[in-house]
Amino acid sequence: MTIFVRDLTQEEGNRLKRIARKGADPVQVRRALLILASAQKMKVPEISRLYHISGEHIRHTIHRFNQEGVPSLKPKYCGGRPPTFTPEERSEIIELAQIPPKVAGYPFTNWSLFKLKQAVEERKIVSSISIETLRVILGEAKITYQNTKTWKDSNDPDFASKKTNRRPLPEPTNGRACNLYG
């Protein structure tokens, strides 16, 4: 049994031509071309050879157009995989990321993604989470981390005073360079 698209109205034909010629969405353009070819009484195997599309897909497109009209050309994208973590878990992760690690009871000054991952799993907010998922969750909350410096703190009790009370470097005399080491 041969299947063709139903008779097109003048308006539908004009819209299909406009979509086929100037359409921005390649899915809509391809579907409009299939419908126009069927409207010219081309059989499904001929359309299939012309556009290198399976006959099953062409039949499905024609049936859908016959039922819904021009709106059937728009693709129906699905939402993809549902989120793995609940909004409550996500908010707890974001909340933990905004607390300084020292306040949360950890011996370092800045979170890294790996350390935050370990803390989230330790506190049983989630059973396991990948670093990339953690990065995405924090990115959605507009939280970013800078690379940590090579040193963070010192265990020297006089560190703060040594850091602020540095001895100034000697000034060069008579335009010559000063030897600092002896």
Side-chain angles (χ1 to χ4, degrees):
M1 177 177 154
T2 307
I3 181 171
F4 294 107
V5 74
R6 62 176 166 72
D7 289 335
L8 302 176
T9 64
Q10 185 72 33
E11 182 185 331
E12 285 177 331
N14 290 337
R15 283 187 68 192
L16 287 169
K17 286 179 191 174
R18 190 174 333 111
I19 291 170
R21 289 182 185 151
K22 298 180 181 183
D25 185 1
V27 174
Q28 281 186 307
V29 170
R30 186 177 58 240
R31 289 178 181 174
L33 290 170
L34 296 179
I35 299 300
L36 287 171
S38 179
Q40 294 173 356
K41 302 300 179 203
M42 285 181 74
K43 295 180 180 176
V44 172
E46 295 170 338
I47 299 171
S48 178
R49 279 192 303 274
L50 180 65
Y51 292 111
H52 304 287
I53 297 174
S54 74
E56 184 179 339
H57 178 70
I58 296 169
R59 285 184 198 88
H60 176 73
T61 303
I62 292 172
H63 280 299
R64 194 163 156 218
F65 184 84
N66 286 342
Q67 291 173 353
E68 300 173 25
V70 176
S72 71
L73 301 178
K74 291 187 179 179
K76 291 184 179 178
Y77 295 114
C78 296
R81 181 178 178 203
T84 306
F85 303 112
T86 64
E88 293 80 24
E89 291 169 334
R90 287 172 175 261
S91 67
E92 285 184 54
I93 291 169
I94 291 166
E95 199 174 303
L96 179 61
Q98 293 175 332
I99 297 172
K102 291 254 187 203
V103 174
Y106 293 96
F108 39 86
T109 55
N110 292 324
W111 289 114
S112 69
L113 289 173
F114 182 74
K115 290 175 183 175
L116 186 59
K117 171 192 174 350
Q118 287 179 325
V120 165
E121 291 172 354
E122 250 177 44
R123 292 171 176 246
K124 299 195 184 325
I125 295 173
V126 295
S127 59
S128 73
I129 187 169
S130 72
I131 289 178
E132 188 56 35
T133 303
L134 193 59
R135 183 189 324 272
V136 168
I137 291 171
L138 296 176
E140 289 171 355
K142 307 252 188 293
I143 298 173
T144 60
Y145 288 104
Q146 305 301 318
N147 289 335
T148 56
K149 295 180 172 44
T150 56
W151 59 273
K152 296 178 179 90
D153 265 336
S154 174
N155 55 6
D156 182 3
D158 298 328
F159 178 72
S161 63
K162 288 178 183 177
K163 190 167 121 179
T164 55
N165 297 329
R166 289 188 183 165
R167 191 178 63 177
L169 293 175
E171 299 274 330
T173 56
N174 299 335
R176 290 199 260 157
C178 180
N179 186 358
L180 298 176
Y181 299 107

